[in-house]
Amino acid sequence: MEGDKHVVQGTVRPRLLPKRPGLFVNRTGPLAEIQGWAQDAITGQGASLIAVTGQEGLGKTALSVLVGHRLAAHFPDAHLYYDLNGSDPQAKVTAAQVARYFLTQLGFSPHRVPDRAEECLSMLRSSLADRRVILVLDDVETVEQVRPLLFESAHALVMVTSRNPLAYLRVDGFRPPIELGRFTGDDAAELISAIAVVASSSERAAAARLGELCEGLPLAIGILAVQLPGLGNVELDELLSGSILKILNVEGRRPVEDIFDFTYQRLDELGAKAYTTFSLLPGMDFSAGLASHVLGEDATVTDRVLRELTAGYILHRNGSRYRFHNLVREHALGCAAATLSEVDRANLLGTAGEWYWRFAVSHDKAISRRPFPIPARSEYKAIPAAFTAADKVENGYAGFAVEWPNLIAAARSAQATGSIDLSVLFPMALWTYGYQTRRIVELIDLYEAALERATDNRQLWQLYRDLAGLHEGNRDWQSADVCIARAFAQNYPAGEASLWEWRGLTAEGRGDLPLALWCFGKARETVSLMCDTDQEQRAYALLDLHCGRGGRPGATRR
């Protein structure tokens, strides 16, 4: 008993902090912030209770351990550290387990440590009361793993790390959590340069690209930096194409993949479904509306899932948009391949493609004044315009601007997965926005792929007619003329006026104004073949504009 008394008085002073990090890049802001907050404990004005949160692999442990070593001299009585394994659902540690370990490290013999959890925790709190102590609780999952371990001392520095926000720690007097972000490109390059011997310009370029693909995750960057000098050109090419996870090995282990495995295993059924489902969506980010559609859940349930995935650092939120980080998405795609059949994956892509198709049509109707694309006329009539107010055009363009990369990805996905209707029709809903904003090259690729799947002359007419316009916008007059000729060959009389108009525009672009005016005149003669009276009036107005620009208002013949 006398030995235990001396322990309480502080004759045993454990030093349990892991070794000081050998490399530490950036984090100057969080480091200064923690050291500033620690001044209360250093000066005896009150315990400094600090939480460091963020995704796994960001260096939360390294930051806390480094702070502990830097401030160790101010807290001579004990430096306590425990890894609570919060990232591993199979190895969760309770507060009582931590307390028993600390008591033995403080010098209490095991037979003196109470068996009952509350008595054990009380004994630890009594032992640490009013002592100058650093306590680091690493990888905490829940507040209840921390709260019973807190003790009364004006000289204690307590640091908690977690991938969860642990918002309720504020009730216990903790500062607002310091949330670590990912490294910038310069930080990643600094870490790679500190570890790897990067000599040639090609190696430096590869290192920079690898840092980008890791999206600033220090753990992944560090592993790649160690491996970089020994990688061959084939492996480097594989990495630069985006396949990273399988190469992140450390002596036969895959620590980054293990982190994501633990994250995935902790999700409930709907969260796991969202994890795999969202990874398959075309494009790099997505809206809550699309998420709700593919999950088959209402907005309230979907919002809860998105918040949980964001809080768990699985998704990154930017305003109303959500996206995976590169490595997380790669892992999620692997889970999707393992848990979903090929048919299920194809159906999901089809569901997402239909959503994007309806989005494109509804926004095209808000901004476009051209006739509905002939092959998609029934769909255009059935899908309402996205906006009907006076600012519908402005809102329509804004919507296209946000979703454009995803719309292109969805159209390519439809063409790759064999959705015949969408692979042909999808580009038509993108034409007006793409032409008006000069996003032409990627649209040309979509149209050329659609031509390979077109099945009737009206589809071919529309595709060639639109493609002629894209080539004209790209100032490729020869290709435009070829497409116009092929559109004429489809023998669609109601579209002749449009084709003559485009032929006139290509002639005007080449500088042949007489030919341009003659073509505009031919267009005027064939306007009466159009099926839509409103569009006839628009056609006449446009032709008058073209002819006036050519110097002969109202001219109809060469």
Side-chain angles (χ1 to χ4, degrees), residues 145-317:
Q145 290 176 295
V146 175
R147 182 169 288 148
L149 297 169
L150 300 177
F151 52 94
E152 192 64 35
S153 173
H155 309 278
L157 170 60
V158 178
M159 291 182 286
V160 172
T161 77
S162 178
R163 51 176 167 53
N164 295 327
L166 300 183
Y168 285 103
L169 282 179
R170 296 294 305 279
V171 175
D172 298 291
F174 274 75
R175 299 270 190 167
I178 294 176
E179 184 174 353
L180 292 190
R182 292 180 170 230
F183 278 4
T184 65
D186 291 341
D187 299 332
E190 182 182 347
L191 181 57
I192 291 174
S193 297
I195 297 174
V197 180
V198 179
S200 68
S201 59
S202 61
E203 285 178 329
R204 286 194 294 272
R209 179 63 179 136
L210 291 175
E212 292 175 5
L213 291 173
C214 290
E215 287 194 324
L217 188 65
L219 175 62
I221 294 169
I223 295 172
L224 284 176
V226 171
Q227 297 174 332
L228 184 60
L231 293 176
N233 289 333
V234 173
E235 290 170 304
L236 272 176
D237 289 341
E238 184 178 66
L239 282 174
L240 294 175
S241 69
S243 300
I244 302 177
L245 272 183
K246 61 185 177 182
I247 206 110
L248 293 176
N249 295 312
V250 178
E251 298 177 349
R253 294 176 52 251
R254 293 184 174 178
V256 178
E257 200 164 354
D258 288 345
I259 287 172
F260 298 153
D261 282 342
F262 292 146
T263 300
Y264 178 56
Q265 291 163 11
R266 291 179 62 250
L267 297 173
D268 61 20
E269 183 177 355
L270 185 56
K273 178 184 177 182
Y275 187 76
T276 54
T277 296
F278 296 161
S279 72
L280 293 167
L281 296 177
M284 293 304 296
D285 68 355
F286 57 91
S287 66
L290 175 59
S292 181
H293 183 72
V294 296
L295 281 182
E297 301 288 347
D298 62 31
T300 301
V301 173
T302 302
D303 181 66
R304 176 184 63 78
V305 173
L306 290 171
R307 281 189 284 105
E308 289 175 354
L309 294 180
T310 302
Y313 302 99
I314 293 170
L315 295 178
H316 172 70
R317 181 177 182 178

Side-chain angles (χ1 to χ4, degrees), residues 41-58:
I42 291 173
T43 58
Q45 297 181 42
S48 296
L49 307 178
I50 300 166
V52 181
T53 64
Q55 184 184 4
E56 296 92 332
L58 288 178

Side-chain angles (χ1 to χ4, degrees), residues 349-415:
L349 283 172
T351 300
E354 289 284 350
W355 187 91
Y356 275 119
W357 159 247
R358 293 182 66 85
F359 179 97
V361 171
S362 67
H363 283 67
D364 189 39
K365 290 179 70 172
I367 70 171
S368 178
R369 294 185 60 200
R370 75 170 185 157
F372 294 159
I374 303 303
R377 181 168 288 176
S378 61
E379 288 87 347
Y380 265 71
K381 289 181 177 179
I383 297 173
F387 310 99
T388 56
D391 57 354
K392 66 178 183 178
V393 175
E394 180 182 353
N395 288 330
Y397 271 94
F400 264 121
V402 170
E403 290 287 8
W404 183 256
N406 301 321
L407 291 167
I408 293 294
R412 288 175 176 159
S413 176
Q415 292 175 341

